[in-house]
Amino acid sequence: MLLKNSDIAMYHAKKKGRNNCQFFKSEMNKRANERHSMEVDLRNALKCSELLLHYQPIVNIDDTKVYSMEALLRWRHPKNGLICPTKFIRLAEETGMIVLIGEWVMRQSCLQIKAWREQGYEVPKLAINLSALQFRQKTLVADITRILDETEVEGHCLILEITESQLIENVEEVVRTLQQLRALGIEISVDDFGTGYSSLSYLKRYQINTLKIDRSFVRDISDNPEDTAIIAAILAMADNLKINVVAEGVETEEQLFFLASHGCFRFQGYFFSKPLPAPEIESRIWKSINP
Ligand code: C2E
Ligand code: MG
Ligand code: MG
């Protein structure tokens, strides 16, 4: 017991960074137990088909035509109900489970494209989030190629969303991976743009297709002049570099108006639609683009 408790305290100390000391507290034990049981449950989730995807449209501001949709992971926990990814993605990354989960997301997205096409819908591109660990897998391109072949979906139907921090390590390797993905026809989006460490030179070098302005900047449009200035600067820069921009988390008409008047052409957010399960996409969204 003593050893177990000291282990838990050590884990907490490591999490806080180097050179610090943490004494065991009973709430640490509670958290460690919760984490352990979540880990066990998450391992089961894939086997027991508890994971599912919701889809959120990304729309053109001028004609509200759906340009693409982002696939967002959900976990239907047998006891706790529907769980959002912010609650379990980190654990999935720390345990390496994200690689298998990410492969499931990729296959499921392609299967969904295929199923919608078979029902006669004209399906826009699907954007899939890629975690850092997945992006570093040597087999990433081969795995994606295999899934595309198996599901008979072409690469140009997919967009991969990666974050800024994934682009600054092992530059040569990143260049190669992105080239191979582009050769498959896949587009690359930089997610949560503006929150990470940004080196502007990589945007051109990597031939990024789209920047997604992080929700935190959009939220404070009109209240916070700094955020407003940052958005205006991102839009001007992207325009010069001929990179598309999507504003994330647009909830109000006022935000939309500001974005449109500063040259942003696409957005994603509750103002148009929350992420929806596939049947609701069929009943609500398809009707507008597949009349
Ligand atoms: P993200 O990729 O930046 O996804 C956008 C998040 O913003 C989603 O949260 C979406 O529901 C939320 N959102 C969209 N519009 C609005 C709005 O108008 N207002 C507000 N308040 N929120 C809005 P969600 O689905 O909880 O996902 C959170 C994060 O989890 C994602 O952020 C992404 O980083 C990660 N994630 C989701 N699915 C996957 C996945 O399949 N694989 C990986 N590796 N990560 C994923
Ligand atoms: Mg995303
Ligand atoms: Mg984002």
Side-chain angles (χ1 to χ4, degrees), residues 19-204:
N19 289 330
N20 88 88
C21 155
Q22 291 278 312
F23 290 104
F24 174 77
K25 296 190 202 108
S26 61
E27 81 225 37
M28 282 183 186
N29 201 6
K30 189 168 161 252
R31 259 183 281 153
N33 284 338
E34 280 169 7
R35 184 187 146 94
H36 179 69
S37 78
M38 197 170 199
E39 189 178 329
V40 173
D41 288 356
L42 192 54
R43 284 194 194 283
N44 269 321
L46 257 180
K47 275 187 253 151
C48 304
S49 312
E50 289 166 13
L51 298 181
L52 65 151
L53 295 177
H54 281 183
Y55 303 89
Q56 187 179 32
I58 295 169
V59 230
N60 294 339
I61 288 185
D62 56 353
D63 56 5
T64 62
K65 193 170 179 305
V66 178
Y67 171 75
S68 59
M69 289 201 289
E70 181 170 7
L72 292 157
L73 188 59
R74 301 289 181 262
W75 175 12
R76 198 183 306 285
H77 190 281
K79 282 200 218 100
N80 305 336
L82 203 63
I83 308 183
C84 279
T86 41
K87 301 254 167 61
F88 64 88
I89 286 284
R90 191 155 157 202
L91 179 68
E93 280 169 347
E94 284 168 3
T95 54
M97 274 188 269
I98 194 68
V99 175
L100 278 181
I101 292 177
E103 201 173 319
W104 179 87
V105 171
M106 183 75 64
R107 179 171 288 105
Q108 187 56 31
S109 300
C110 291
L111 287 172
Q112 187 63 73
I113 293 176
K114 193 174 180 216
W116 275 331
R117 278 184 180 168
E118 283 170 359
Q119 291 171 56
Y121 298 123
E122 201 182 304
V123 188
K125 291 174 190 283
L126 275 196
I128 296 167
N129 292 284
L130 215 57
S131 95
L133 192 63
Q134 254 181 300
F135 191 61
R136 284 201 301 267
Q137 296 293 303
K138 294 262 179 292
T139 56
L140 176 75
V141 178
D143 291 342
I144 295 178
T145 309
R146 182 170 35 82
I147 292 172
L148 289 172
D149 286 347
E150 277 168 19
T151 55
E152 299 169 332
V153 166
E154 308 79 32
H156 66 78
C157 301
L158 299 183
I159 301 171
L160 293 185
E161 295 197 0
I162 50 187
T163 52
E164 289 163 277
S165 50
Q166 293 172 35
L167 297 175
I168 53 174
E169 282 169 28
N170 304 323
V171 174
E172 294 313 318
E173 193 111 12
V174 172
V175 169
R176 215 170 317 129
T177 306
L178 293 185
Q179 260 165 4
Q180 290 170 338
L181 292 172
R182 238 190 328 272
L184 291 174
I186 296 175
E187 278 190 19
I188 306 294
S189 260
V190 179
D191 208 350
D192 309 334
F193 186 74
T195 56
Y197 171 81
S198 302
S199 152
L200 298 181
S201 61
Y202 72 63
L203 294 177
K204 205 67 219 164

